[in-house]
Amino acid sequence: MQELDKTYNAAQFEDAIYRAWEASGYFNPDKLASAKEPFTISMPPPNATGTLHTGHAMMLVLQDLMIRFNRMRGKKALWVPGTDHASIASQNKVEKQLAKEGITRHDMSREEFIARIEKYVEESRSTIRNQIRKMGSSCDWSRERYTLDEGLSHAVKTIFIRMHSDGLIYRGNRIVNWCPRCKSTLADDEVKYKEEQAPFYYLKYGPVIIGTVRPETKFLDKTIVVHPDDPRYKALIGQEFDVEWIEGPVRAHVIADAVADMTFGSGAMTITPGHSFEDFELAQKYHLPVEKVIDEDGNFTEAAGSFVGKNARENRAAIIDVLRKKGLVDRVDEHYTHNLSVCYRCGTPVDPLPSLQWFVDVDKKIKHRKDKSLKELSLEAVESGSITIIPNQFEKRYFQWMHNLHDWCISRQIAFGHRLPVYYCEKEGGGCGETIVAHEPPAHCPKCKNTFLRHDEDTLDTWFSSALWTFSTLGWPDNAEEKHGNIIKKGDLAAFHPTSVMETGYDILPLWVARMIMMSEYALREEPFKTVYLHGLVLDINRKKMSKSNEETLIDPLDVIPKYGADALRISMLVGVTPGNDLLLGEEKIASYRNFINKLWNISRFILQFGMDTSGVDTPGRSDTQKKKRDTHTLADAWILSRLARTIESVTRALETFHFAQAAEELRAFTWDEIADWYLEISKVEKGKHDILFSLLEKILALWHPFTPFVTEVVYQHIRENVHPKTKHEKGEHPATLMIHPWPVADKKTINEKAEKEFALIRTLIQTIRNARAEHGIPPAQKIQALIWSKRLQPLIADNEQIIKHLARLDFLTILTTEEKPHNAVFLKISDDIEAYLPLGMRKTEEERVKIKKEIDTLQGLLTPLNNRLADQEFHKGAPRHIVEKETKKRDEYIASLETLEEQLKKLI
RNA sequence: GGGCGGUUAGCUCAGUUGGUUAGAGCGUCACAUUGACAUUGUGAAGGUCAGAGGUUCGACUCCUCUACCGCCCACCA
C-alpha cells in the first residue's frame, strides 16, 4: 500500500483529479440515473474579455458548493456554464489592441473588425474555460453556451420579434445617453457620475439671468421657464420678445411651470430639449421642437451657426468669450461642483442627445399576461414570494429600482453583438419607408415589393441577450410552444426551468437579475429562478476593489491556486463571508486555510495508518464477527458519535438555508477542535477505535467535499484503491468518485446528551489541569500527580482515568473517596461535584491565595445581581418558569462554589 | 434630495423568535520538537456590544434620537 505524503501538495493532484471528474461524466445530470428532483444553476456568464478575477472565483466557489451538495443529496444537479460576448467591453479591448498597432476600426470593414473581435473573444473563452476548471467547478461542459452562439442568437431574434409584435419593443426618437468615444448609446445604468468642479456661468438672457455649466448647448434655447408663483416674473409669463444671443438675436417666449426652482439661481431658466433629459420631457409636455446642437462626434451642428463642425466641449470658453464681448456674462462662479455624467466603460463625459433608437416598453400592458406590464410582472414575482432574494434587504432595493424604471434603450451603435432583426425599405432607395422586423433578411418589401432593403446597423445591448440566459441556454424557443394559452415546455427546458438559484454579485441586481425576471415572465410566464443569492465584492485588505493597479494587494486566483491549492482559496472565500457583504481577501487568509487543508490531510493519514498495519488489528476490511468483539463504546466514542450526528444535522440545515459560512465554520470546528484535538488524541490511549475512526473519516470527507473537493477526493481515491476490498466497488457501495457519494445522514439514535455532558466534564477537568500546569511553569514533558475528588461522579473519573492521565500528563491519579481533602495542594474547582488537587509543593502559596481570592471576587460579582434579581417579585411575576428555575439553580451553584473556595482558602493559611 | 445598510476583541466578522460569565478566525504573548500534522500542540491576554434615552422582571438583540462610516437611486438649470 502506498503511503500518503507528510504534507498535502495540492498542485500535485488537482489537475488530474479534475480530468478524472470530467471523464466520469457526472457533471452531466443525465448520467445521474437515480436522481429525480432537479437542482439547476445558470452560471452567470463571464465576459469573454481576458481572464477570470477574484469576483469570478467567488461565484464559482459558491455555485459549485451548492451544486456538489445537491448532487450528493441525490438531486439532478445541473450547472450550465458559458460566456458573454460583452459587446462594448470586447470591442473596447480590441480597439485598444488596434491603437497599439497604430490603426483604428475605421481602417477596416465592419466584417474585418468583427472577425478581429471574434478571434480575440475565442481566445478569451478558451482561457476562461481552463480557469473555471482550475477552481474545481463541476459544471456540465456538454451544455456550455455562449451568448452569440447560434441557438442563443435565434432566441434573441425570436423574442425581439415577438415583443415587437406585442408592442413591447418600439422605435422612437428620444434623448439618449451618448458616449462620443464609444460612439454608442448607453443605458441609464451604464452612466456613472463623477464629481467635477466647473465654472458656473450666469448669463443675461433678455429680461432674466440664467445659469449653466454647459453654455455650448444653449444656442437654440428659446423658451424661458419660470415658476407660476414667482412674483419676480409673473408679468413675463406668456410674452414673446427678441433676445440678443450667441449667434445674434433669437425669438424667445416665457412659460410657467412648477419645475422651475424659485430658490435656485435667479429662479428662471431656459430649456435645451435636445441635450437634457428633463428639458426633453418639458418640451414634450409643451410641444416644443427638439433640435440637435451637438452631433454624435461631440461637434457642433449647423444649428450652432459659425461654430459648426467644432468640438462643443472644447469651445466652451470661446462661446463665453463671444457672450462676454456682447456684455451678456453677468458673473461666473468658479467653484461650482456638480456631478458629471461619464461612460461606465471609458470614463468619457456623456452627451445627452436626441436619437432614433429602439426601446423596450416596460409599462405597456401585455394581453397574454392579464394586462400587466413587464414592470408589474417583475414586481409581482418578488412581492408574491415566487422569487426570494438573499439577503432580503436587497428586495427593497429591487422594488425601488423597478418602480423608477424607464423604458429600456436596447439599441447600441456597436459593431460586435446581436444585430437587430430589423430591415428598412428606405425612401432613398425608392422604397416606401416600411420597417420590417423578421428573422431572415426579406427578399423584398412586403408592402411595395422593393428589393433594396437596409439591415439596421445597430446591435442589441449586451444585457438583452444575457437577460434570456436561464432559458435560452436550455433550448428556448424550440423547447417551448404555446397551446391553448399555456406554455408547454419540453426537453431540458421542462426538466430544469425555472432554475433553482441565481447566484451573482449584488452590483448587477438591476442590470441583469431584474431583466432576467422581466424576460422570463414574458417568454415563459414563469420566474427564471426561485432564489437569488447575492454575494459581495471582493476587496483587498485595504478595502479597495481589487484591480491590476494595486499590484501588491491583488490576489489573482491563477497565482494563488498553484501556491496554496484551489481548496484553500475556496474556503477562504466562504468562511466569514455573508451574503451581500463585501469580502476582504488577503494572502494570509488563504494561507491559513491551506493549513487547514493540510490538517484534514493529516487527520486522514493518521486514521489510514491503521489500514496499513499488517497485523490488521482492526482494519475496516475485517470480518463482521471480528468487528463485533469490540462493541462496548467508551464515553469518548459515544460523545464523538453524538457530535457527528449533530454536526451532520446542522451542516445540512445550514447549507439548505444558504448559511454557507456557518456550515464551513461548524465543520471546521468539529474536524479540528473535536476530532483532531480530542478524539484522535484519545484514540492513542483507548485502543481499538479503528472502525469508528474510519467511519468518521468517511463521513467528514463527504461533508467537506462540496467545500474542498480536491483534497477530499484524493483521500477518497486512496481509500478506494487501498482499503476497500474490490468486491464492494462492484456492489456499488463505494462510487467511483466522492462527487456522487451519498451525503451523510445523521443517525439520530447516536445523539446522546448525557455522554456530551459527561465528556464536557472530562474535557474541562483536563483543560483546567493543563491550565494550572502552565500557570505553575511545569514543562509539558514533566508528569505530575493529581488527586480528584467527587461525590457522585467517581465512576466517570475512573472509567476515563487513562484519558485524563494521558492528556493532562499525569503519572498518578488518585480518586478521593472521602471528605478528607488534601492540604498544601493547588486546588482546582472543576464543577459543583468535581475538584482536583495538584500537590505541587508550597512554593506558590501566596499566588494560590491571590488566585482563589480573584475567583471568589468574580463569583461574588456574578452572585450579587443574580440575588437581586431573584429577590425581585417582578422577576418572578414576569419571567417564564424555566428561566426562574435556571437562575435559581445557577445561584445555588455559585454559592456552593464559593463555599468550596473559601474552605480552600482557609487551608492555605 | 430620496432610500438602504453598518458601528461587537488589535484586524476581519458571527451572534437565529429578548433569557448561562457575548463567540470564531487571523494576529499578539508564554511554554513545548510527545511518531498524523511546526502548514503543529498546550495555555493565556484582549470587549462599559458607537453614544444617549425609552420599552421590559431582563436588551448586543425591540423602539426613538445623535454621531460617524459605507452603498444604492435621482440629479438642478
Side-chain angles (χ1 to χ4, degrees):
Chain A
M1 168 162 180
Q2 212 190 338
E3 274 197 51
L4 298 171
D5 288 344
K6 265 180 105 162
T7 50
Y8 173 65
N9 179 6
Q12 185 188 330
F13 300 106
E14 289 185 350
D15 288 347
I17 289 284
Y18 194 90
R19 277 196 298 274
W21 284 334
E22 217 178 327
S24 77
Y26 294 120
F27 289 171
N28 183 341
D30 300 339
K31 267 260 188 160
L32 304 169
S34 58
K36 291 205 172 72
E37 198 187 331
F39 181 87
T40 321
I41 296 181
S42 293
M43 181 189 296
N47 285 355
T49 50
T51 55
L52 289 190
H53 51 70
T54 43
H56 295 120
M58 178 92 160
M59 79 166 191
L60 293 171
V61 167
L62 287 162
Q63 291 166 32
D64 195 45
L65 173 66
M66 289 187 258
I67 286 287
R68 285 183 188 268
F69 169 60
N70 282 286
R71 188 186 290 121
M72 289 173 80
R73 295 193 91 195
K75 293 197 187 168
K76 232 177 155 65
L78 171 63
W79 189 14
V80 182
T83 37
D84 192 294
H85 66 284
S87 51
I88 298 185
S90 304
Q91 179 163 327
N92 280 357
K93 291 263 182 182
V94 172
E95 279 185 76
K96 270 184 199 155
Q97 287 182 353
L98 293 180
K100 276 188 196 155
E101 297 162 25
I103 48 175
T104 75
R105 65 168 146 134
H106 304 295
D107 297 329
M108 51 179 81
S109 71
R110 179 179 175 130
E111 287 68 31
E112 282 168 338
F113 182 50
I114 289 174
R116 184 73 198 246
I117 301 172
E118 273 169 354
K119 186 170 161 265
Y120 168 78
V121 161
E122 197 36 64
E123 283 164 16
S124 299
R125 289 182 63 213
S126 107
T127 313
I128 287 167
R129 278 189 208 110
N130 257 324
Q131 292 168 340
I132 293 175
R133 286 181 165 91
K134 288 274 179 201
M135 289 297 297
S137 316
S138 61
C139 46
D140 182 3
W141 292 107
S142 72
R143 285 179 167 86
E144 185 197 351
R145 300 310 293 266
Y146 172 51
T147 47
L148 269 183
D149 69 26
E150 206 179 308
L152 268 62
S153 299
H154 178 60
V156 164
K157 274 189 210 165
T158 306
I159 203 162
F160 186 98
I161 292 162
R162 287 193 197 166
M163 288 176 83
H164 179 258
S165 84
D166 281 342
L168 290 170
I169 284 180
Y170 66 90
R171 192 180 192 212
N173 212 342
R174 288 291 154 90
I175 296 281
V176 295
N177 298 296
W178 182 266
C179 173
R181 200 217 65 84
C182 297
K183 299 271 190 287
S184 178
T185 53
L186 296 173
D188 290 350
D189 39 45
E190 289 171 329
V191 176
K192 294 294 158 217
Y193 295 92
K194 203 172 80 183
E195 194 164 273
E196 181 202 55
Q197 205 175 63
F200 189 81
Y201 304 100
Y202 289 91
L203 308 173
K204 291 178 189 161
Y205 186 87
V208 299
I209 305 254
I210 60 164
T212 184
V213 180
R214 303 190 59 198
E216 68 272 22
T217 65
K218 295 274 162 203
F219 282 88
L220 294 173
D221 283 19
K222 46 190 102 168
T223 306
I224 299 171
V225 183
V226 297
H227 196 279
D229 301 330
D230 195 329
R232 291 171 293 183
Y233 305 116
K234 260 207 158 113
L236 289 175
I237 297 169
Q239 288 198 25
E240 265 192 51
F241 36 77
D242 289 318
V243 171
E244 181 55 29
W245 201 226
I246 310 166
E247 291 284 303
V250 293
R251 186 83 184 153
H253 71 284
V254 183
I255 61 169
D257 193 285
V259 296
D261 181 350
M262 287 191 275
T263 63
F264 188 89
S266 65
M269 63 180 188
T270 59
I271 58 174
T272 312
H275 299 282
S276 152
F277 285 88
E278 296 69 41
D279 293 1
F280 179 81
E281 275 179 33
L282 271 180
Q284 298 268 303
K285 189 169 165 187
Y286 296 101
H287 307 288
L288 304 171
V290 176
E291 286 168 279
K292 204 194 268 186
V293 182
I294 299 167
D295 69 12
E296 283 75 2
D297 296 322
N299 297 333
F300 285 116
T301 63
E302 281 171 10
S306 63
F307 283 90
V308 62
K310 288 180 179 168
N311 183 280
R313 233 163 251 278
E314 286 165 13
N315 281 280
R316 185 178 289 175
I319 291 160
I320 289 300
D321 267 354
V322 171
L323 289 166
R324 195 168 269 137
K325 276 178 193 143
K326 295 187 179 190
L328 296 176
V329 178
D330 184 66
R331 63 188 196 280
V332 182
D333 177 358
E334 294 287 350
H335 303 289
Y336 180 76
T337 55
H338 71 136
N339 282 325
L340 180 70
S341 324
V342 297
C343 170
Y344 84 123
R345 275 287 161 204
C346 65
T348 308
V350 166
D351 282 325
L353 49 81
S355 180
L356 196 54
Q357 300 291 340
W358 289 87
F359 294 86
V360 169
D361 189 332
V362 295
D363 292 308
K364 166 118 184 166
K365 308 288 179 196
I366 307 167
K367 244 190 239 153
H368 67 74
R369 294 306 323 261
K370 296 180 183 155
D371 277 332
K372 286 177 180 154
S373 66
L374 289 175
K375 190 190 272 189
E376 287 164 335
L377 289 167
S378 305
L379 281 167
E380 234 179 63
V382 177
E383 273 164 2
S384 69
S386 297
I387 299 174
T388 309
I389 303 180
I390 297 173
N392 66 9
Q393 67 260 29
F394 279 93
E395 292 189 359
K396 287 180 197 164
R397 206 176 274 186
Y398 173 84
F399 292 140
Q400 190 194 347
W401 189 81
M402 267 294 168
H403 279 297
N404 294 330
L405 194 62
H406 297 293
D407 286 0
W408 172 18
C409 175
I410 50 171
S411 43
R412 294 289 182 279
Q413 292 64 50
I414 298 278
F416 187 54
H418 296 279
R419 196 106 173 244
L420 270 71
V422 177
Y423 305 86
Y424 305 102
C425 177
E426 283 182 332
K427 286 187 175 142
E428 291 83 350
C432 62
E434 180 75 354
T435 297
I436 305 134
V437 174
H439 273 281
E440 299 303 326
H444 52 76
C445 173
K447 231 178 174 179
C448 70
K449 307 295 175 204
N450 178 17
T451 53
F452 184 76
L453 300 173
R454 184 177 63 85
H455 191 176
D456 196 312
E457 294 288 312
D458 290 357
T459 53
L460 285 162
D461 180 5
T462 203
W463 297 105
F464 188 89
S465 56
S466 47
L468 317 180
W469 188 246
T470 63
F471 53 92
S472 62
T473 54
L474 294 174
W476 189 90
D478 297 346
N479 277 345
E481 57 178 318
E482 192 173 337
K483 259 187 197 162
H484 315 298
N486 291 316
I487 304 281
I488 310 294
K489 298 181 285 181
K490 59 183 183 189
D492 276 0
L493 196 62
F496 299 108
H497 203 274
T499 64
S500 310
V501 179
M502 173 47 59
E503 196 290 319
T504 189
Y506 66 73
D507 48 332
I508 51 173
L509 176 66
L511 282 167
W512 190 43
V513 178
R515 282 167 186 164
M516 282 191 282
I517 297 173
M518 283 191 331
M519 292 307 217
S520 180
E521 286 291 344
Y522 172 77
L524 284 163
R525 306 178 195 178
E526 66 185 20
E527 63 281 359
F529 28 71
K530 300 284 186 194
T531 303
V532 178
Y533 181 97
L534 297 169
H535 64 247
L537 307 171
V538 183
L539 306 178
D540 69 17
I541 43 169
N542 302 319
R543 283 185 190 280
K544 295 264 158 57
K545 198 163 178 177
M546 268 194 200
S547 74
K548 294 199 175 123
S549 51
N550 296 320
E551 273 293 345
E552 65 286 0
T553 55
L554 174 76
I555 304 264
D556 183 342
L558 298 163
D559 292 341
V560 165
I561 290 170
K563 204 165 160 193
Y564 299 104
D567 288 337
L569 177 61
R570 289 170 65 115
I571 348 185
S572 49
M573 303 194 108
L574 288 170
V575 180
V577 185
T578 40
N581 284 338
D582 297 342
L583 157 69
L584 273 64
L585 188 66
E587 200 166 327
E588 257 185 12
K589 186 174 181 184
I590 302 168
S592 83
Y593 286 106
R594 184 268 322 267
N595 297 354
F596 172 73
I597 301 291
N598 193 56
K599 186 77 184 179
L600 187 57
W601 177 256
N602 273 291
I603 289 169
S604 311
R605 231 159 64 85
F606 176 76
I607 293 175
L608 291 173
Q609 74 183 353
F610 301 118
M612 293 180 275
D613 188 345
T614 43
S615 65
V617 185
D618 214 334
T619 56
R622 297 183 75 224
S623 72
D624 289 350
T625 45
Q626 278 170 307
K627 274 184 188 169
K628 271 179 193 153
K629 280 185 188 163
R630 198 202 53 74
D631 57 0
T632 43
H633 284 183
T634 65
L635 173 65
D637 298 337
W639 162 75
I640 200 72
L641 291 174
S642 180
R643 290 289 308 130
L644 173 67
R646 283 193 203 271
T647 304
I648 292 172
E649 272 191 342
S650 71
V651 167
T652 306
R653 196 176 323 120
L655 288 175
E656 281 170 344
T657 54
F658 301 93
H659 293 95
F660 305 132
Q662 197 194 324
E665 178 49 36
E666 274 186 44
L667 206 44
R668 191 207 59 80
F670 176 67
T671 308
W672 202 322
D673 305 344
E674 302 195 296
I675 295 184
D677 291 350
W678 287 92
Y679 194 69
L680 292 194
E681 290 307 318
I682 289 169
S683 77
K684 291 175 187 171
V685 272
E686 274 184 12
K687 300 290 179 186
K689 294 192 183 307
H690 303 164
D691 301 358
I692 297 183
L693 284 171
F694 191 77
S695 123
L696 268 176
L697 177 62
E698 287 196 308
K699 295 284 195 309
I700 60 168
L701 287 175
L703 291 169
W704 274 113
H705 187 255
F707 300 90
T708 59
F710 289 109
V711 67
T712 49
E713 185 75 67
V714 173
V715 177
Y716 180 82
Q717 291 302 335
H718 180 86
I719 292 172
R720 216 171 166 271
E721 284 299 306
N722 297 294
V723 185
H724 287 147
K726 298 279 183 248
T727 51
K728 285 202 169 183
H729 297 181
E730 284 146 24
K731 277 194 269 171
E733 277 185 39
H734 298 278
T737 155
L738 190 50
M739 190 166 80
I740 53 162
H741 187 282
W743 184 253
V745 176
D747 180 359
K748 291 203 178 174
K749 290 194 300 294
T750 63
I751 293 181
N752 185 336
E753 200 136 343
K754 185 164 171 268
E756 286 184 28
K757 274 193 181 148
E758 289 184 344
F759 189 79
L761 285 174
I762 300 294
R763 206 160 132 165
T764 310
L765 172 63
I766 292 164
Q767 283 172 322
T768 313
I769 294 173
R770 281 173 177 169
N771 177 355
R773 292 175 58 114
E775 274 181 19
H776 288 266
I778 297 163
Q782 185 184 331
K783 295 202 170 182
I784 58 163
Q785 261 192 64
L787 298 95
I788 300 178
W789 175 89
S790 173
K791 208 185 265 176
R792 304 185 310 273
L793 297 171
Q794 286 172 19
L796 177 68
I797 311 292
D799 284 349
N800 293 284
E801 188 181 334
Q802 288 309 312
I803 296 176
I804 298 165
K805 281 172 78 175
H806 177 73
L807 296 180
R809 311 232 20 99
L810 308 174
D811 47 6
F812 291 103
L813 189 158
T814 313
I815 298 171
L816 296 173
T817 50
T818 60
E819 285 291 330
E820 191 71 17
K821 294 173 188 175
H823 291 245
N824 302 341
V826 172
F827 166 68
L828 305 170
K829 179 89 193 164
I830 311 299
S831 75
D832 58 344
D833 189 39
I834 302 178
E835 293 166 17
Y837 298 84
L838 308 180
L840 298 176
M842 291 304 294
R843 286 180 302 133
K844 307 266 181 176
T845 306
E846 193 46 40
E847 281 176 30
E848 261 315 281
R849 186 176 299 147
V850 171
K851 201 190 140 203
I852 293 176
K853 275 189 174 159
K854 207 176 142 196
E855 272 181 60
I856 290 175
D857 282 352
T858 312
L859 273 175
Q860 290 284 8
L862 293 169
L863 192 58
T864 314
L866 195 55
N867 272 330
N868 290 344
R869 195 180 311 166
L870 286 164
D872 188 351
Q873 283 311 304
E874 295 299 310
F875 176 63
H876 289 273
K877 260 189 254 170
R881 211 156 120 214
H882 71 276
I883 296 293
V884 178
E885 277 169 17
K886 211 166 159 188
E887 300 284 89
T888 311
K889 197 179 160 212
K890 194 160 66 179
R891 181 188 57 183
D892 294 345
E893 281 172 13
Y894 287 169
I895 291 172
S897 295
L898 272 173
E899 280 169 5
T900 339
L901 285 166
E902 263 153 18
E903 182 194 333
Q904 198 55 35
L905 197 58
K906 274 185 215 143
K907 284 188 186 162
L908 284 174
I909 298 165

